[in-house]
């Protein structure tokens, strides 16, 4: 058989085990390869050397405050959906040195802060997280200031996306127009079908690496019919998601009516619902930590004993803490209600003013990982229902 | 200090620093390729005790001499940076057109500002800036100006007053209304005669008078009440505690000054000062980048909501 040369607009078949060759090729090109793996009862991103580390045959059940993995031998390699980690954990790491200052003879000198140089490749990225990537690009690259460290990591990032075949009850990417089909921001996209993946090219780098797999005889061309069928998979799921209805005994499928949502929230900043949700909210900040778009940070000073060698470390911050708004006159967001309001209105309204996009992709993580099952789709619905005209 | 990493290299310029003269700084300018955290070194040339816990620091840019490339506009602020302690947003109080250095007037209230208070003349002080949207003085030519300060809020207005003295002919009547808790916290009283020499009216008020106080007692809004104004020709600039600014702005608006002609300088906790860290948000705004100076018509709606 002739080696298959992939074209940008066609799909190629890659046998499932041959995904190992993609991992190897990315590793050989100097990437740190990361992919989903089962650890501590959840699917998380870990360094990936071997396809056998992937969560083949695992499905996740997600609901408000609930995440459980179960075996299903019929499940594919990527039929779990999103876990607590996202690309944010890598491109905007939870802690990062941003500056090192050394004092000699009463004068400070700036030393370059150590920076992670190795390019990253992530396998298994879902459409909602591609959307989150695009949102964080707006924050860190196209806001007021370019974040140089983010930019360096972002430019080297290699994304292998996966089209979802299944959604959790907490997923509402269809409402946010962020999924489930992977349509942008990837180098390669996989759609699982039987024992193989249909591979789509999203970038020149993706084409180059796929060509190498083709040269190694690992690809077979998709026929036009096959390609059409593969391409409908995420769109069929999207249609299913729009048609989902609540049924007794199973988690309620989420959706969010985004019509006029910015003004809805701005016009209801003093709605009584904020106090109702505050009675349940623990202000634990889990939702901001798992959210793939939250970008708040604060800087901690890490000094040696002499105080002459100081590293400034940027760490994730959360609007659920009092420190986030602490001033001499007291914390601005002094009440839990005001902190929940900050989170929700920033996410769904403020972001639109600041970055021209919603800050929510519908990934559902904040619902799943909330210890008391607070659900932003429900909170918005309650405000919408009882908003004064 | 002359290495590539030297803190006072020209790369330490902030994005808005290059925007030049007063009034032309258009908020933030997108800036590629350098770290928003990069610092400049200054030396403390003089320290003046203004009031208990409040000191003015005159700074020269290291190694010594005139400030090399640091340009700011009245109402902008710096992040004063103490390695190992942290950073704090501090208004620049000096004349934006002076080339001899800059000044900060700081109230020691927390970790950074207290550590700053332990520094002495000759010590190095790091900072980055300038940041933020300044007072729109260039747009206010030929208008009457009322500058209303509550306590340390005067710090943000001092640079505007200095600018107005140099360009006195460009403005109509100028009145400074300064209120404080006690007479000692009426800052810059030593400058009042100079302001008056430049045809700037100054009125002071305190809420807790001491036995020597001969002036009026009450809130600064009372001074505004008794001031004769031509509302159509007047612009009001206000900086102080938020409830005071709201009260003053509402009162000015009730007296006929348009909301578009009322400007307030908002305080929020600041981290990056560059629109990256999210700490300074107020409604749709990043106060560091979209403010701290806002016209009242843009900000009133958000100020009116408690704890926003
Ligand atoms: C645009 C702008 C301009 C400004 N200009 C000036 C100026 O010209 N001069 C000036 O003096 N100030 C100015 N400020 C205010 C100044 O930035 C703050 O006072 C400063 O950040 C205090 O920093 P700090 O590290 O000293 O205090 P911090 O240690 O951060 O403490 C600040 C206050 O919060 C309290 N606090 C801190 N942490 C907690 C906690 N966990 N729980 C309870 N309370 C807590 C402290 O007791 C203190 O009262 C300006 C602010 C802004 C936004
Ligand atoms: S707000 Fe919740 S559903 Fe939306 S992107 Fe963040 S974690 Fe996902
Ligand atoms: S303010 Fe809150 S919701 Fe907005 S980015 Fe920061 S942590 Fe996330
Ligand atoms: S201070 Fe960081 S965004 Fe304004």
């Amino acid at each position: 058989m002739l080696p298959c040369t992939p074209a940008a607009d066609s799909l190629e078949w890659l046998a499932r085990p041959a995904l190992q060759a993609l991992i190897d090729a990315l590793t050989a090109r100097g990437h740190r390869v990361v992919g989903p793996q089962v650890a501590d009862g959840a699917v998380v991103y870990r360094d990936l050397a071997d396809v056998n580390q992937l969560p083949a045959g695992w499905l996740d059940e997600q609901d408000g405050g609930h995440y459980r993995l179960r075996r299903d031998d019929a499940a594919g390699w990527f039929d779990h959906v999103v876990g607590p980690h996202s690309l944010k954990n890598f491109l905007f790491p939870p802690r990062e040195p941003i500056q090192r200052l050394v004092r000699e003879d009463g004068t400070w000198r700036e030393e370059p802060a150590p920076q992670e140089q190795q390019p990253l490749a992530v396998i298994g990225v879902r459409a909602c997280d591609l959307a989150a990537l695009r949102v964080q690009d707006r924050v860190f690259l196209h806001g007021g200031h370019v974040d140089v460290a983010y930019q360096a990591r972002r430019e080297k990032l290699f994304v292998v996306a996966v089209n979802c075949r299944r959604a959790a009850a907490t997923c509402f990417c269809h409402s946010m127009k962020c999924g489930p089909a992977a349509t942008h921001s990837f180098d390669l996209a996989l759609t699982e079908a039987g024992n193989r993946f249909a591979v789509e090219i999203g970038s020149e780098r993706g084409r180059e690496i796929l060509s190498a797999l083709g040269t190694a005889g690992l690809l077979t061309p998709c026929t036009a019919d096959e390609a059409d069928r593969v391409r409908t998979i995420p769109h069929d799921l999207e249609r299913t998601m729009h048609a989902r209805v609540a049924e007794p005994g199973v988690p309620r499928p989420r959706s969010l009516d985004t019509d006029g949502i910015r003004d809805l929230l701005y016009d209801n900043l003093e709605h009584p619902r904020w106090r109702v949700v505050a009675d349940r909210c623990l202000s634990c900040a889990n939702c901001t930590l798992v959210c793939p778009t939250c970008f708040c940070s604060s800087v901690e000073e890490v000094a040696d004993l002499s105080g002459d060698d100081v590293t400034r470390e940027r760490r994730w911050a959360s609007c659920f803490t009092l420190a986030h708004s602490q001033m001499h006159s007291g914390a601005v967001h002094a009440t839990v209600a005001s902190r929940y309001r900050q989170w929700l209105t920033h996410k769904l309204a403020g972001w639109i003013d600041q970055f021209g996009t919603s800050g929510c992709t519908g990934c559902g993580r904040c619902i799943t990982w909330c210890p008391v099952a607070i659900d932003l789709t429900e909170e918005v619905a309650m405000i919408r229902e009882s908003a004064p005209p | 200090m002359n290495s590539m990493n030297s803190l006072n290299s020209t790369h330490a310029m902030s994005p808005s620093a290059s925007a030049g003269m007063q009034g032309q700084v258009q908020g933030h300018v997108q800036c590629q390729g350098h770290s928003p955290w990069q610092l400049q070194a200054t030396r403390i040339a003089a320290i003046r005790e203004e009031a208990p816990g409040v000191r003015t620091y005159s700074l020269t840019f290291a190694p010594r001499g005139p400030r090399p490339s640091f340009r700011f506009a009245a109402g902008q602020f710096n992040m004063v940076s103490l390695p190992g302690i942290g950073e704090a947003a501090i208004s620049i109080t000096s004349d934006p057109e002076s080339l001899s250095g800059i000044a900060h007037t700081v109230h020691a209230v927390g970790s950074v500002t207290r550590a700053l208070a332990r520094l002495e003349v000759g010590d190095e002080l790091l900072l980055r800036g300038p940041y933020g949207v300044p007072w729109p003085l260039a747009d206010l030519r030929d208008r009457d100006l009322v500058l209303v300060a509550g306590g340390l809020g005067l710090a943000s207005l001092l640079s505007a007053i200095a600018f107005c003295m140099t360009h006195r002919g460009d403005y109509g009547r100028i009145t400074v209304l300064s209120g404080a808790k006690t007479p000692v916290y009426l800052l810059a009283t030593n400058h009042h005669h100079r302001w008056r020499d430049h045809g700037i009216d100054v009125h002071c008020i305190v809420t807790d008078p001491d036995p020597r106080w001969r002036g009026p007692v009450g809130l600064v809004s009372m001074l505004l009440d008794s001031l004769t104004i031509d509302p159509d020709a007047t612009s009001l600039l206000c900086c102080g505690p938020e409830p005071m600014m709201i009260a003053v702005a509402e009162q000015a608006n009730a007296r006929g000054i348009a909301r578009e002609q009322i400007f307030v300088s908002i305080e929020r906790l600041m981290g990056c000062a560059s629109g990256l860290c999210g700490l300074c948000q107020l409604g749709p705004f990043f106060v560091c980048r979209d403010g701290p100076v806002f016209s009242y018509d843009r900000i009133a709606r958000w100020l009116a909501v408690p704890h926003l």
Side-chain angles (χ1 to χ4, degrees):
Chain A
M1 194 179 72
L2 280 175
C4 157
T5 312
D9 53 350
S10 66
L11 298 182
E12 315 297 330
W13 288 117
L14 181 71
R16 269 203 308 216
L19 192 61
Q20 184 65 48
L22 178 60
I23 297 173
D24 295 341
L26 287 164
T27 309
R29 281 163 175 75
H31 285 90
R32 172 188 173 196
V33 181
V34 159
Q37 289 162 55
V38 174
D40 302 328
V43 174
V44 295
Y45 280 130
R46 288 272 171 95
D47 286 290
L48 182 72
D50 192 307
V51 286
N52 291 317
Q53 295 171 293
L54 290 167
W58 285 103
L59 292 182
D60 44 5
E61 264 171 21
Q62 301 196 37
D63 197 0
H66 174 86
Y67 181 101
R68 201 173 67 87
L69 289 177
R70 68 177 161 84
R71 291 290 314 176
D72 183 333
D73 291 335
W77 289 15
F78 291 100
D79 283 331
H80 60 281
V81 291
V82 292
H85 290 171
S86 67
L87 291 177
K88 176 176 94 165
N89 297 66
F90 300 97
L91 292 179
F92 171 48
R95 9 169 98 200
E96 171 178 30
I98 51 167
Q99 193 171 52
R100 184 168 162 228
L101 295 157
V102 178
R103 180 163 52 188
E104 268 168 14
D105 304 327
T107 305
W108 291 97
R109 186 179 75 241
E110 196 171 334
E111 296 281 334
Q115 264 180 25
E116 178 61 52
Q117 297 296 341
Q118 194 183 6
L120 180 76
V122 185
I123 293 182
V125 182
R126 306 314 168 99
C128 58
D129 282 356
L130 297 175
L133 179 63
R134 195 147 74 173
V135 170
Q136 287 223 314
D137 281 354
R138 297 230 187 158
V139 174
F140 291 119
L141 303 179
H142 311 299
H145 233 293
V146 174
D147 185 289
V148 186
Y150 178 94
Q151 186 179 38
R153 289 186 289 261
R154 176 68 177 94
E155 279 169 357
K156 287 183 258 175
L157 177 71
F158 192 99
V159 175
V160 181
V162 165
N163 277 300
C164 290
R165 300 194 294 188
R166 173 186 162 265
T170 45
C171 294
F172 59 102
C173 59
H174 64 300
S175 299
M176 305 313 293
K177 303 192 173 51
C178 289
T183 57
H184 61 85
S185 307
F186 59 78
D187 296 288
L188 293 173
L190 310 177
T191 309
E192 212 169 343
N195 286 325
R196 45 191 191 170
F197 297 110
V199 190
E200 183 182 349
I201 295 166
S203 75
E204 183 48 35
R205 281 187 305 175
R207 199 194 59 74
E208 186 270 320
I209 212 160
L210 200 63
S211 300
L213 301 192
T215 309
L218 295 170
L219 300 178
T220 47
C222 257
T223 65
D225 272 1
E226 285 172 334
D228 283 348
R229 248 176 293 142
V230 165
R231 285 202 166 99
T232 61
I233 289 174
H235 297 291
D236 288 345
L237 174 60
E238 186 175 351
R239 230 170 302 122
T240 315
M241 289 173 81
H242 279 289
R244 293 186 301 187
V245 287
E247 284 166 39
V250 294
R252 185 176 59 81
R254 269 56 171 200
S255 64
L256 180 66
D257 178 358
T258 59
D259 186 37
I261 195 161
R262 170 179 167 275
D263 290 340
L264 175 76
L265 292 175
Y266 283 165
D267 291 344
N268 286 285
L269 292 171
E270 299 188 81
H271 194 283
R273 184 70 193 179
W274 302 117
R275 285 201 304 279
V276 176
V277 67
D279 281 344
R280 294 166 61 209
C281 177
L282 308 177
S283 207
C284 70
N286 268 13
C287 50
T288 58
L289 300 180
V290 294
C291 179
T293 66
C294 269
F295 60 83
C296 279
S297 65
S298 61
V299 173
E300 303 289 325
E301 312 271 328
V302 186
D304 71 349
L305 274 179
S306 70
D308 290 335
D309 190 335
V310 174
T311 297
R312 289 188 158 154
E313 204 174 76
R314 176 168 77 176
R315 300 187 188 167
W316 286 357
S318 167
C319 56
F320 280 94
T321 68
L322 282 170
H324 192 267
S325 66
Q326 189 68 51
M327 297 203 302
H328 185 44
S329 50
V332 178
H333 304 146
T335 62
V336 176
S338 66
R339 297 201 283 283
Y340 189 83
R341 178 180 63 192
Q342 168 62 27
W343 137 259
L344 196 72
T345 54
H346 184 219
K347 197 101 316 227
L348 297 172
W351 231 290
I352 297 171
D353 291 293
Q354 294 166 353
F355 302 107
T357 171
S358 173
C360 178
T361 68
C363 75
R365 287 181 175 95
C366 55
I367 305 171
T368 299
W369 299 97
C370 174
V372 294
I374 291 171
D375 176 340
L376 79 170
T377 64
E378 192 180 331
E379 294 312 311
V380 173
M382 293 306 287
I383 287 174
R384 194 182 285 282
E385 233 169 66
S386 54
Chain B
M1 277 306 296
N2 291 324
S3 69
M4 283 276 291
N5 303 325
S6 164
L7 288 170
N8 60 340
S9 75
T10 50
H11 292 290
M13 289 271 297
S14 96
S16 39
S18 55
M21 294 303 290
Q22 172 71 43
Q24 293 174 344
V25 177
Q26 296 295 328
H28 67 288
V29 176
Q30 177 148 330
C31 187
Q32 306 249 351
H34 78 75
S35 158
W37 308 103
Q38 195 148 17
L39 300 167
Q40 306 201 52
T42 70
R43 287 260 156 231
I44 301 178
I47 298 177
R48 201 189 118 83
E49 301 284 337
E50 303 283 351
V54 183
R55 295 163 118 202
T56 294
Y57 304 85
S58 303
L59 307 174
T60 52
F61 284 82
R64 279 218 160 266
R67 53 178 212 236
S69 51
F70 189 97
R71 295 279 178 279
F72 74 97
Q76 287 193 297
F77 65 95
N78 282 327
M79 293 303 288
V80 169
S81 192
L82 279 85
I85 316 280
E87 299 190 315
I90 305 290
S91 304
I92 312 171
T93 41
S94 48
D95 181 350
E97 290 165 306
S98 156
L99 292 177
S100 60
I102 60 167
H104 285 304
T105 300
V106 186
H107 193 184
V109 297
S111 47
V112 173
T113 48
R114 286 207 190 102
L116 182 57
R118 288 195 295 272
L119 297 185
E120 293 167 6
V121 171
D123 283 348
E124 184 183 63
L125 180 62
L126 305 182
L127 51 82
R128 53 191 178 86
Y131 294 112
V133 174
W135 300 111
L137 291 170
D139 302 336
L140 305 182
R141 285 204 188 94
D142 298 325
R143 295 182 63 80
D144 293 347
L145 303 182
V146 179
L147 285 64
V148 187
L152 204 75
L154 186 62
S156 161
L157 290 163
L158 287 174
S159 53
I161 296 171
F163 180 84
C164 289
M165 286 198 287
T166 313
H167 301 269
R168 185 63 190 89
D170 288 350
Y171 300 94
R173 287 177 53 201
I174 304 181
T175 312
V176 176
L177 307 178
S178 176
K181 218 169 141 57
T182 60
V184 286
Y185 282 102
L186 284 169
L187 301 178
T189 45
N190 55 317
H191 292 299
H192 288 184
H193 67 277
R194 268 207 325 127
W195 300 352
R196 292 197 174 105
D197 287 349
H198 284 80
I200 296 173
D201 276 341
V202 193
H203 304 282
C204 297
I205 192 165
V206 300
T207 43
D208 298 341
D210 60 21
R212 284 171 318 189
W213 180 251
R214 296 284 167 268
V217 175
L219 299 170
V220 73
S221 44
M222 285 171 55
L223 293 179
L224 182 59
D225 244 346
S226 50
L227 193 71
T228 313
I229 53 167
D230 172 358
D232 292 333
T234 302
S235 300
L236 183 135
L237 281 52
C238 183
C239 185
E242 212 162 288
M244 167 266 185
M245 290 195 286
I246 296 171
V248 165
E250 287 298 330
Q251 190 185 340
N253 189 223
R255 300 248 343 243
I257 303 180
R259 290 182 163 223
E260 294 77 12
Q261 290 300 332
I262 299 169
F263 302 91
V264 294
S265 181
I266 303 296
E267 180 180 350
R268 282 294 179 272
L269 176 65
M270 296 206 174
C272 66
S274 309
L276 285 171
C277 78
L279 297 188
C280 65
Q281 293 180 73
L282 172 56
F285 300 120
F286 292 118
V287 173
C288 69
R289 189 188 75 184
D290 305 318
V293 173
F294 291 93
S295 63
Y296 195 57
D297 63 315
R298 282 181 81 204
I299 203 74
R301 167 179 189 187
W302 313 105
L303 288 181
V305 182
H307 303 303
L308 192 65

